[in-house]
Amino acid sequence: MGEEGTEGVVHLLCLAASSGVPLFCRSSRGGAPARQQLPFSVIGSLNGVHMFGQNLEVQLSSARTEDTTVVWKSFHDSITLIVLSSEEGTLELRLERLLQMVFGAMVLLVGLEELTNIRNVERLKKELREALSGFSEAAGTAFVSLVVSGRVAAATESWWRLGMPEAVLLPWLVGSLPPQAARDYPVYLPHGSPTVPHRLLTLTLLPGLELCLLCGPRPPLSQLDAQFLERWWQPLLDPLRACLPLGARALPAGFPLHTDILGLLLLHLELKRCLFTVELSGDREPSPEQRRRLLRSFYTLVTATHFPPEPGQPEEKVEEAVHPAHVPRACYLVSGPEEPGIGWRLVALQLGPRRLLLLLSAQSPTHGLRGLATHTLHALTPLL
């Protein structure tokens, strides 16, 4: 956080107050953009110490080091702005006024409601968990989920604990069926119940959003009438409707991702959940279908040759105990000559229970792949 050349550097950070996800970062020197950028670890530490103080009901507003002044300010429990300045003679009051003007500019351009919706995302997650829990108890089944275009967006704990392959096949089945207001579909569970059928009940809450229940003989579909559904889901329909346009992109439009990223797959191996999208960077080549194939082939390669199988398989744990192996933390592949501007870049990174696979444009330099993947993984961690 020192000086660049003879002039001081100013770093401006904007983060979601509830999750700490960076929304944007800007650096300048003498009023012009600066090459020097703050590493994600520093951004995380600056936000972490501010949140730590808030949890203890201590308001951290400013701090000084030998050559840097730092000011924090939160707005509407939604946005946290942080500014760091190494300009000589900088006063905290001047930096605080700068943050007020920055937030004012954000309101000027997008409106206060759009900014406070960032906080509403966390609130929506909590309300969805409560609605799913209450609805599953009222319906008499522990297996309930919300499926958007063939993807599980939220579910009860019992649904998340479904074994393979039904955990993957059930949402695929729902996504492949023609639109219908309600269904009562018999299914066999390849892992959990391959000989005795269960019932898969689906109810359309909104176009593209279906409520799914996995159950036995009860409840009858007729019990899940409009009045019963309204009791649990009517209060959430408007915020859910606002989320549906995300579609296959799976990430908010303003989510901070490097422009070289064309597709990503993030897996949480312990929770057995994933985040996947190839709808990034507009209409650039390759096509979404080609991106999907590249990521799928890369996933197969790294899982088979570099990274261990998913945890929780007893026979593999015994094997590891007898023959402990050195497991790589990152690897990359260039689909073509390893030259600037030629060949798509694919990089995989594993940190703890999370494994991230990225498809990057040909312009992305190979020496920066691991750093880019690490930064992206930290940014995505609050989501999964």
PDB file of all heavy atoms in Angstrom, residues 53 69 73 109 117 123 128 130 133 152 195 202 206 234 243 253 259 325 337 342 357 381:
ATOM      1  N   GLY A  53     -15.283  -5.603  13.597  1.00  0.00           N
ATOM      2  CA  GLY A  53     -15.668  -4.544  14.517  1.00  0.00           C
ATOM      3  C   GLY A  53     -17.177  -4.389  14.622  1.00  0.00           C
ATOM      4  O   GLY A  53     -17.718  -4.216  15.724  1.00  0.00           O
ATOM      5  N   THR A  69      -3.569   6.329   4.549  1.00  0.00           N
ATOM      6  CA  THR A  69      -4.774   6.603   5.319  1.00  0.00           C
ATOM      7  C   THR A  69      -5.913   5.763   4.750  1.00  0.00           C
ATOM      8  O   THR A  69      -6.091   5.700   3.526  1.00  0.00           O
ATOM      9  CB  THR A  69      -5.157   8.086   5.245  1.00  0.00           C
ATOM     10  OG1 THR A  69      -4.050   8.871   5.694  1.00  0.00           O
ATOM     11  CG2 THR A  69      -6.373   8.382   6.112  1.00  0.00           C
ATOM     12  N   LYS A  73     -16.760   3.236   5.068  1.00  0.00           N
ATOM     13  CA  LYS A  73     -18.097   3.790   5.273  1.00  0.00           C
ATOM     14  C   LYS A  73     -19.127   2.846   4.643  1.00  0.00           C
ATOM     15  O   LYS A  73     -18.966   2.416   3.494  1.00  0.00           O
ATOM     16  CB  LYS A  73     -18.237   5.177   4.658  1.00  0.00           C
ATOM     17  CG  LYS A  73     -19.508   5.899   5.129  1.00  0.00           C
ATOM     18  CD  LYS A  73     -19.454   7.374   4.808  1.00  0.00           C
ATOM     19  CE  LYS A  73     -20.682   8.099   5.357  1.00  0.00           C
ATOM     20  NZ  LYS A  73     -20.775   8.032   6.832  1.00  0.00           N
ATOM     21  N   LEU A 109     -26.828   7.034 -10.891  1.00  0.00           N
ATOM     22  CA  LEU A 109     -26.816   6.241 -12.122  1.00  0.00           C
ATOM     23  C   LEU A 109     -27.751   5.043 -12.086  1.00  0.00           C
ATOM     24  O   LEU A 109     -28.336   4.681 -13.112  1.00  0.00           O
ATOM     25  CB  LEU A 109     -25.391   5.772 -12.424  1.00  0.00           C
ATOM     26  CG  LEU A 109     -24.396   6.896 -12.756  1.00  0.00           C
ATOM     27  CD1 LEU A 109     -22.994   6.330 -12.916  1.00  0.00           C
ATOM     28  CD2 LEU A 109     -24.817   7.627 -14.027  1.00  0.00           C
ATOM     29  N   ASN A 117     -30.944  -3.782  -3.248  1.00  0.00           N
ATOM     30  CA  ASN A 117     -31.275  -5.162  -3.626  1.00  0.00           C
ATOM     31  C   ASN A 117     -30.123  -6.111  -3.361  1.00  0.00           C
ATOM     32  O   ASN A 117     -30.321  -7.315  -3.234  1.00  0.00           O
ATOM     33  CB  ASN A 117     -31.667  -5.238  -5.106  1.00  0.00           C
ATOM     34  CG  ASN A 117     -33.107  -4.838  -5.344  1.00  0.00           C
ATOM     35  OD1 ASN A 117     -33.899  -4.828  -4.407  1.00  0.00           O
ATOM     36  ND2 ASN A 117     -33.442  -4.495  -6.565  1.00  0.00           N
ATOM     37  N   ARG A 123     -31.192 -11.670   2.253  1.00  0.00           N
ATOM     38  CA  ARG A 123     -32.470 -11.842   2.930  1.00  0.00           C
ATOM     39  C   ARG A 123     -33.345 -12.850   2.195  1.00  0.00           C
ATOM     40  O   ARG A 123     -34.026 -13.673   2.807  1.00  0.00           O
ATOM     41  CB  ARG A 123     -33.192 -10.488   3.021  1.00  0.00           C
ATOM     42  CG  ARG A 123     -34.447 -10.537   3.894  1.00  0.00           C
ATOM     43  CD  ARG A 123     -35.016  -9.152   4.078  1.00  0.00           C
ATOM     44  NE  ARG A 123     -35.492  -8.604   2.829  1.00  0.00           N
ATOM     45  CZ  ARG A 123     -35.705  -7.300   2.612  1.00  0.00           C
ATOM     46  NH1 ARG A 123     -35.428  -6.435   3.558  1.00  0.00           N
ATOM     47  NH2 ARG A 123     -36.167  -6.885   1.457  1.00  0.00           N
ATOM     48  N   LEU A 128     -36.098 -18.018   1.676  1.00  0.00           N
ATOM     49  CA  LEU A 128     -36.331 -19.239   0.901  1.00  0.00           C
ATOM     50  C   LEU A 128     -36.131 -20.483   1.766  1.00  0.00           C
ATOM     51  O   LEU A 128     -36.900 -21.442   1.684  1.00  0.00           O
ATOM     52  CB  LEU A 128     -35.389 -19.288  -0.302  1.00  0.00           C
ATOM     53  CG  LEU A 128     -35.773 -18.451  -1.521  1.00  0.00           C
ATOM     54  CD1 LEU A 128     -34.684 -18.538  -2.577  1.00  0.00           C
ATOM     55  CD2 LEU A 128     -37.107 -18.924  -2.095  1.00  0.00           C
ATOM     56  N   GLU A 130     -36.520 -20.714   4.996  1.00  0.00           N
ATOM     57  CA  GLU A 130     -37.654 -20.833   5.921  1.00  0.00           C
ATOM     58  C   GLU A 130     -38.909 -21.304   5.218  1.00  0.00           C
ATOM     59  O   GLU A 130     -39.689 -22.110   5.760  1.00  0.00           O
ATOM     60  CB  GLU A 130     -37.869 -19.479   6.602  1.00  0.00           C
ATOM     61  CG  GLU A 130     -36.707 -19.132   7.548  1.00  0.00           C
ATOM     62  CD  GLU A 130     -36.830 -17.721   8.085  1.00  0.00           C
ATOM     63  OE1 GLU A 130     -37.697 -16.952   7.646  1.00  0.00           O
ATOM     64  OE2 GLU A 130     -36.060 -17.373   8.968  1.00  0.00           O
ATOM     65  N   SER A 133     -38.578 -25.039   4.369  1.00  0.00           N
ATOM     66  CA  SER A 133     -38.717 -25.860   5.569  1.00  0.00           C
ATOM     67  C   SER A 133     -40.177 -25.956   6.007  1.00  0.00           C
ATOM     68  O   SER A 133     -40.692 -27.049   6.288  1.00  0.00           O
ATOM     69  CB  SER A 133     -37.855 -25.272   6.692  1.00  0.00           C
ATOM     70  OG  SER A 133     -38.044 -25.984   7.887  1.00  0.00           O
ATOM     71  N   VAL A 152     -31.238 -26.780  -9.719  1.00  0.00           N
ATOM     72  CA  VAL A 152     -31.750 -26.609  -8.361  1.00  0.00           C
ATOM     73  C   VAL A 152     -31.222 -25.288  -7.810  1.00  0.00           C
ATOM     74  O   VAL A 152     -30.020 -25.113  -7.627  1.00  0.00           O
ATOM     75  CB  VAL A 152     -31.325 -27.776  -7.449  1.00  0.00           C
ATOM     76  CG1 VAL A 152     -31.827 -27.546  -6.028  1.00  0.00           C
ATOM     77  CG2 VAL A 152     -31.872 -29.098  -7.982  1.00  0.00           C
ATOM     78  N   THR A 195     -36.201 -50.169  -6.953  1.00  0.00           N
ATOM     79  CA  THR A 195     -37.278 -51.124  -7.234  1.00  0.00           C
ATOM     80  C   THR A 195     -38.655 -50.635  -6.815  1.00  0.00           C
ATOM     81  O   THR A 195     -39.676 -51.106  -7.320  1.00  0.00           O
ATOM     82  CB  THR A 195     -37.001 -52.471  -6.528  1.00  0.00           C
ATOM     83  OG1 THR A 195     -36.874 -52.261  -5.115  1.00  0.00           O
ATOM     84  CG2 THR A 195     -35.730 -53.109  -7.062  1.00  0.00           C
ATOM     85  N   THR A 202     -44.566 -31.777  -9.247  1.00  0.00           N
ATOM     86  CA  THR A 202     -44.043 -30.478  -9.653  1.00  0.00           C
ATOM     87  C   THR A 202     -45.196 -29.489  -9.775  1.00  0.00           C
ATOM     88  O   THR A 202     -46.281 -29.835 -10.250  1.00  0.00           O
ATOM     89  CB  THR A 202     -43.294 -30.547 -10.996  1.00  0.00           C
ATOM     90  OG1 THR A 202     -44.234 -30.790 -12.047  1.00  0.00           O
ATOM     91  CG2 THR A 202     -42.243 -31.636 -10.976  1.00  0.00           C
ATOM     92  N   LEU A 206     -43.859 -19.838 -11.223  1.00  0.00           N
ATOM     93  CA  LEU A 206     -43.699 -18.795 -12.232  1.00  0.00           C
ATOM     94  C   LEU A 206     -43.181 -19.466 -13.497  1.00  0.00           C
ATOM     95  O   LEU A 206     -42.610 -20.562 -13.415  1.00  0.00           O
ATOM     96  CB  LEU A 206     -42.680 -17.740 -11.768  1.00  0.00           C
ATOM     97  CG  LEU A 206     -43.045 -16.874 -10.553  1.00  0.00           C
ATOM     98  CD1 LEU A 206     -41.805 -16.116 -10.080  1.00  0.00           C
ATOM     99  CD2 LEU A 206     -44.169 -15.910 -10.889  1.00  0.00           C
ATOM    100  N   GLN A 234     -46.585 -16.850  -1.922  1.00  0.00           N
ATOM    101  CA  GLN A 234     -46.994 -15.550  -2.440  1.00  0.00           C
ATOM    102  C   GLN A 234     -46.057 -14.413  -2.023  1.00  0.00           C
ATOM    103  O   GLN A 234     -45.692 -13.566  -2.854  1.00  0.00           O
ATOM    104  CB  GLN A 234     -48.437 -15.244  -1.995  1.00  0.00           C
ATOM    105  CG  GLN A 234     -49.016 -13.971  -2.614  1.00  0.00           C
ATOM    106  CD  GLN A 234     -49.127 -14.061  -4.117  1.00  0.00           C
ATOM    107  OE1 GLN A 234     -49.484 -15.107  -4.654  1.00  0.00           O
ATOM    108  NE2 GLN A 234     -48.802 -12.973  -4.804  1.00  0.00           N
ATOM    109  N   CYS A 243     -35.341 -12.477  -9.998  1.00  0.00           N
ATOM    110  CA  CYS A 243     -34.129 -13.287 -10.156  1.00  0.00           C
ATOM    111  C   CYS A 243     -34.130 -14.120 -11.432  1.00  0.00           C
ATOM    112  O   CYS A 243     -33.068 -14.513 -11.922  1.00  0.00           O
ATOM    113  CB  CYS A 243     -33.956 -14.217  -8.961  1.00  0.00           C
ATOM    114  SG  CYS A 243     -33.649 -13.385  -7.390  1.00  0.00           S
ATOM    115  N   ALA A 253     -25.668  -9.570 -13.049  1.00  0.00           N
ATOM    116  CA  ALA A 253     -25.016  -8.863 -14.154  1.00  0.00           C
ATOM    117  C   ALA A 253     -23.803  -8.062 -13.689  1.00  0.00           C
ATOM    118  O   ALA A 253     -22.828  -7.934 -14.409  1.00  0.00           O
ATOM    119  CB  ALA A 253     -26.026  -7.945 -14.840  1.00  0.00           C
ATOM    120  N   THR A 259     -12.682 -10.093 -17.528  1.00  0.00           N
ATOM    121  CA  THR A 259     -13.269 -10.140 -18.870  1.00  0.00           C
ATOM    122  C   THR A 259     -12.733 -11.283 -19.727  1.00  0.00           C
ATOM    123  O   THR A 259     -13.326 -11.620 -20.750  1.00  0.00           O
ATOM    124  CB  THR A 259     -13.016  -8.808 -19.606  1.00  0.00           C
ATOM    125  OG1 THR A 259     -11.612  -8.527 -19.606  1.00  0.00           O
ATOM    126  CG2 THR A 259     -13.762  -7.677 -18.928  1.00  0.00           C
ATOM    127  N   ALA A 325      -0.636 -39.673  -1.271  1.00  0.00           N
ATOM    128  CA  ALA A 325      -0.125 -39.117  -2.512  1.00  0.00           C
ATOM    129  C   ALA A 325      -0.044 -37.598  -2.412  1.00  0.00           C
ATOM    130  O   ALA A 325      -0.776 -36.976  -1.665  1.00  0.00           O
ATOM    131  CB  ALA A 325      -1.031 -39.510  -3.675  1.00  0.00           C
ATOM    132  N   PRO A 337      -1.253 -24.029 -29.753  1.00  0.00           N
ATOM    133  CA  PRO A 337       0.105 -23.555 -29.444  1.00  0.00           C
ATOM    134  C   PRO A 337       0.093 -22.604 -28.249  1.00  0.00           C
ATOM    135  O   PRO A 337      -0.792 -21.758 -28.123  1.00  0.00           O
ATOM    136  CB  PRO A 337       0.515 -22.806 -30.727  1.00  0.00           C
ATOM    137  CG  PRO A 337      -0.366 -23.358 -31.793  1.00  0.00           C
ATOM    138  CD  PRO A 337      -1.663 -23.706 -31.124  1.00  0.00           C
ATOM    139  N   ILE A 342      -3.310 -17.207 -29.070  1.00  0.00           N
ATOM    140  CA  ILE A 342      -3.633 -18.460 -29.767  1.00  0.00           C
ATOM    141  C   ILE A 342      -4.006 -19.520 -28.738  1.00  0.00           C
ATOM    142  O   ILE A 342      -3.288 -19.734 -27.763  1.00  0.00           O
ATOM    143  CB  ILE A 342      -2.432 -18.954 -30.615  1.00  0.00           C
ATOM    144  CG1 ILE A 342      -2.036 -17.897 -31.642  1.00  0.00           C
ATOM    145  CG2 ILE A 342      -2.771 -20.264 -31.310  1.00  0.00           C
ATOM    146  CD1 ILE A 342      -0.823 -18.274 -32.462  1.00  0.00           C
ATOM    147  N   LEU A 357     -12.890 -24.558 -12.116  1.00  0.00           N
ATOM    148  CA  LEU A 357     -12.400 -24.718 -13.473  1.00  0.00           C
ATOM    149  C   LEU A 357     -12.817 -23.502 -14.282  1.00  0.00           C
ATOM    150  O   LEU A 357     -13.990 -23.107 -14.255  1.00  0.00           O
ATOM    151  CB  LEU A 357     -12.958 -25.986 -14.138  1.00  0.00           C
ATOM    152  CG  LEU A 357     -12.323 -27.329 -13.761  1.00  0.00           C
ATOM    153  CD1 LEU A 357     -12.689 -27.722 -12.330  1.00  0.00           C
ATOM    154  CD2 LEU A 357     -12.766 -28.417 -14.720  1.00  0.00           C
ATOM    155  N   THR A 381     -16.530 -17.541  -3.578  1.00  0.00           N
ATOM    156  CA  THR A 381     -16.718 -18.331  -2.349  1.00  0.00           C
ATOM    157  C   THR A 381     -17.974 -17.964  -1.570  1.00  0.00           C
ATOM    158  O   THR A 381     -18.677 -18.875  -1.073  1.00  0.00           O
ATOM    159  CB  THR A 381     -15.465 -18.199  -1.463  1.00  0.00           C
ATOM    160  OG1 THR A 381     -14.360 -18.863  -2.110  1.00  0.00           O
ATOM    161  CG2 THR A 381     -15.687 -18.838  -0.095  1.00  0.00           C
TER     162      THR A 381
END
